[in-house]
Amino acid sequence: MSATLQTPPQGHETARTMTGAEIVLQALKDQGVEVIFGYPGGAVLPLYDALFQQNAIRHILVRHEQAAVHAAEGYARSTGKVGVVLVTSGPGATNAVTGLVDALMDSIPVICLTGQVPTHLIGNDAFQEADTTGITRPATKHNYLVKDIRKLASTVHEAFYVSKNGRPGPVVIDLPKDILIGKGPYTEAPQTPHRSYRPQTEPDARAIRDAVALLKGAKRPIVYAGGGVINAGPEASRLLGEFVRMTGMPCTNTLMGLGAYPSTDPQFLGMLGMHGTYEANLAMHGCDVMLNIGARFDDRVTGRLNAFSPGSKKIHADIDPSSINKNVKVDVAVVGDAGRVLAAMIEAWKQDGQQQDRGALAGWWRQIDEWRGKSCLHYVQEGSIIKPQHAVKRLYEITREMGRDTFITTEVGQHQMWAAQYFGFEQPNRWMTSGGLGTMGYGLPAAMGVQIAHPDALVIDIAGEASILMNIQEMGTLAQYRLPVKVFILNNEYMGMVRQWQELLHGSRYSESYSAALPDFVKLAESFHARGIRVTRAEDLDAGIREMLAHPGPVIADIAVAKDENCFPMIPSGAAHNEMILAPGQTGGVAGVTDEGKVLV
Amino acid sequence: MPDPTDTSYRNATIAVLVENEAGILARVVGLFSGRGYNIESLTVAPVDENRRLSRITIVTSGTDMVIEQIKAQLDRLVPVHKVSDLTLEGPHLAREMMLIKVVGKGENRMEALRLADAFRARVVDATTESLVFEMTGAGDKLDAFIDLMRPIGLKEVSRTGVVAIARGAGGLLA
Ligand SMILES: Cc1ncc(C[n+]2csc(CCOP(=O)(O)OP(=O)(O)O)c2C)c(N)n1
Ligand SMILES: [Mg+2]
């Protein structure tokens, strides 16, 4: 008998008997999975054997299990689908943990299948045994250890349900080898509601009315939208645009929310938070009513909590009730899916008889325009040394000129913040960055996953020279699958973000933050069958970018940038929004870093 | 609405109805340790074999905001059916059981038996030099009895932790 996956017979009740491995693949197929990112090993050989004998699901062989999870995250974030990972027991599972926590922090739907030693050996310290469900319990939204093959199919279906419903997140299914080899019944996804997990998606009508009443009466309103809007699907972003335009309010996005509102729209204030714009942060500080939709009052956004937007009424709409009133007390709590909330708010806005104070709103915009006049992202590119901001800005402008659908991933550090500040996004799902966990090494594998999902799109990882080395082995995966990902390194020869904090907080003692003994990135690219480009002078920047974009295969572009550039504006840890530090030469709120601030990260 | 500036602590007795499955207790305990919440007492046992449900009773303390967080965090665990703050949601009963061993002879032994009688503790084991009492009640009543036994010859104590239920006709599942 061949193990080819069959389409289930229509309306047929009798369960078919298959091996555990076949059951897993059939369930994945029924869940609409087309691709999985994985790495083989002893405990998952039965699954690899079943994969070998079918064509419905494509397997992408990564070079490290952490990268498999980030690739699945990139795939998920750029498509809105669940990303799927397959790794072996023991080290395969432990290597995946960083990716799982990353997906947990950023609410990314990922299923991770982990191999496990056979059930009778569990607990015996068998070869490549790890307590995977124990280790990943705080690293996942939920996890399962399948000990009974009769529950295998339903567990896989449930895992998909849990991963994508409510606040999305990673789910691990630990699969002992005897379960994969044994035979059991295949059952289709249940049509009945889950026994215990039924998150509320439809907002409460009264909360919506209260929210709208507050916003209608506002003189200085602001919309603060986060990754929840992206997670709710492209329609939610469209509704956000509709709501913001019909109300005339300013809108800011979190790092996770970039693309939810078009960056070139005049009502967009840019990103807020630690490295957000002057106008976004001051507007948050000075507003009288704030609508937080799909964001979580993260410490990178609020700054010092007791000074956060002190005079405002706050509305918080979130799919996860535990996010509401966690850090910041709010006046109106709306539990629901961001898209459903926005649709309801648009309706309620039309119904509500109250007149908006358009005069006050015009005054608020005059104030905001004054803040905008500060041009907080202004920099001067002069001479041959490339400013990192300029490199990102030119990359943005040139890709825009070309008009290709462009997806950006990043690593973590200053380059990530410059990418967020200088690369504009008009649509959701085009920006993938590790926000909550801040995982160096995220960008390259995430870009891989994006490129798999969008083979014809332009996918660029804006990287730092230190971060890129954390998952550089994935250049091999790019080569194997001919994925034309462009790695755009802002090479400042420092762990720049660390260096910046050392300069500002630790008396310029640059302890262990210099990137010594760097590889020759051009040769490194070539050894991985990719194109290597190095640009050292501002005059050559555009040509380098164009060469990178014109090359049909993967490229590493090593852009030598100013080594001592800092990322501004900056709200130091423990400071308030109105205590922002601006770039040298710009005046505005100036903060010292307090001792309380120093203990924060 | 919880007020973040209100830093006064309160106690909360929380009942949680969960799927009776492997790992559920670890999930709950991990949540408390991972997020730095207090556990003063935690009890768990299956309460409905047919529907595979267990009931966890947690006694915790924190500011109003923290207790609201604890409930929301518990509620979003996948195998959790229902979370109820018994302290907040009206009158409830909270009981603990303990077994307490007292060692002594003569007048001490007589005194222990007299006090046990007054506290409605039952003798469940006796030798010529030891007694084991079983006692059920509110936690402070148990505490008081332990304090009285200390000078008499307290040997060891085993307590169940708190179980609790709402008064009246209502139940956890509507
Ligand atoms: C895995 C991991 N380890 C350590 C850190 C702490 N960290 C944050 S930014 C950074 C430096 C990144 O350097 P680079 O990639 O060169 O980026 P740059 O800041 O120079 O743009 C470090 C070490 C982290 N975020 N992730
Ligand atoms: Mg660097």
Side-chain angles (χ1 to χ4, degrees), chain A residues 412-415 438 440 464-467 470 492 494-498:
Chain A
V412 171
Q414 291 178 319
H415 63 276
M440 291 169 71
E465 83 295 335
S467 296
M470 286 215 177
N492 53 10
Y494 275 98
M495 298 171 194
M497 192 56 93
V498 174

Side-chain angles (χ1 to χ4, degrees), chain A residues 66 98 388 411-418 434 437-441 463-470 489-500 512-513 515 518 561 563 565:
Chain A
Q66 180 193 352
T98 300
E411 307 292 334
V412 171
Q414 291 178 319
H415 63 276
Q416 174 189 30
M417 293 300 122
W418 285 317
S434 172
L437 195 62
T439 311
M440 291 169 71
E465 83 295 335
S467 296
I468 194 64
L469 291 178
M470 286 215 177
I489 302 177
L490 300 183
N491 187 344
N492 53 10
E493 290 180 30
Y494 275 98
M495 298 171 194
M497 192 56 93
V498 174
R499 195 203 54 77
Q500 174 166 349
E512 304 294 330
S513 54
S515 290
L518 282 172
V561 297
K563 297 179 197 193
E565 195 66 21

Side-chain angles (χ1 to χ4, degrees), chain A residues 303-461:
Chain A
R304 190 167 79 242
L305 268 179
N306 62 9
F308 173 65
S309 193
S312 65
K313 294 265 185 219
K314 299 175 185 73
I315 303 160
H316 187 183
D318 205 293
I319 187 86
D320 178 2
S322 77
S323 281
I324 300 175
N325 289 319
K326 180 172 69 177
N327 304 331
V328 171
K329 177 196 175 281
V330 297
D331 302 276
V332 179
V334 187
V335 176
D337 169 82
R340 304 298 312 133
V341 169
L342 283 161
M345 292 201 51
I346 289 168
E347 256 332 285
W349 186 272
K350 292 179 189 155
Q351 303 290 320
D352 188 293
Q354 197 186 343
Q355 280 303 310
Q356 214 182 348
D357 187 345
R358 284 274 169 179
L361 191 58
W364 179 224
W365 273 111
R366 277 193 298 280
Q367 168 68 74
I368 289 171
D369 284 338
E370 198 179 298
W371 290 327
R372 273 178 168 165
K374 186 80 73 185
S375 300
C376 69
L377 295 179
H378 179 73
Y379 62 88
V380 184
Q381 171 64 50
E382 49 186 12
S384 262
I385 297 174
I386 304 169
K387 287 254 184 182
Q389 300 93 322
H390 187 60
V392 176
K393 183 136 176 280
R394 286 308 294 150
L395 180 68
Y396 172 52
E397 288 164 351
I398 293 171
T399 53
R400 253 177 87 91
E401 262 170 40
M402 294 176 41
R404 282 181 69 188
D405 197 6
T406 304
F407 294 76
I408 300 292
T409 70
T410 75
E411 307 292 334
V412 171
Q414 291 178 319
H415 63 276
Q416 174 189 30
M417 293 300 122
W418 285 317
Q421 292 173 331
Y422 295 93
F423 208 101
F425 299 92
E426 302 308 299
Q427 294 176 72
N429 307 101
R430 299 298 188 283
W431 162 250
M432 289 26 73
T433 195
S434 172
L437 195 62
T439 311
M440 291 169 71
Y442 170 88
L444 177 54
M448 230 157 69
V450 174
Q451 190 83 72
I452 291 283
H454 308 274
D456 299 324
L458 175 60
V459 184
I460 306 170
D461 171 25

Side-chain angles (χ1 to χ4, degrees), chain A residues 515-532:
Chain A
S515 290
L518 282 172
D520 176 332
F521 282 108
V522 172
K523 283 191 188 150
L524 185 144
E526 286 165 358
S527 74
F528 277 110
H529 322 290
R531 170 77 62 90

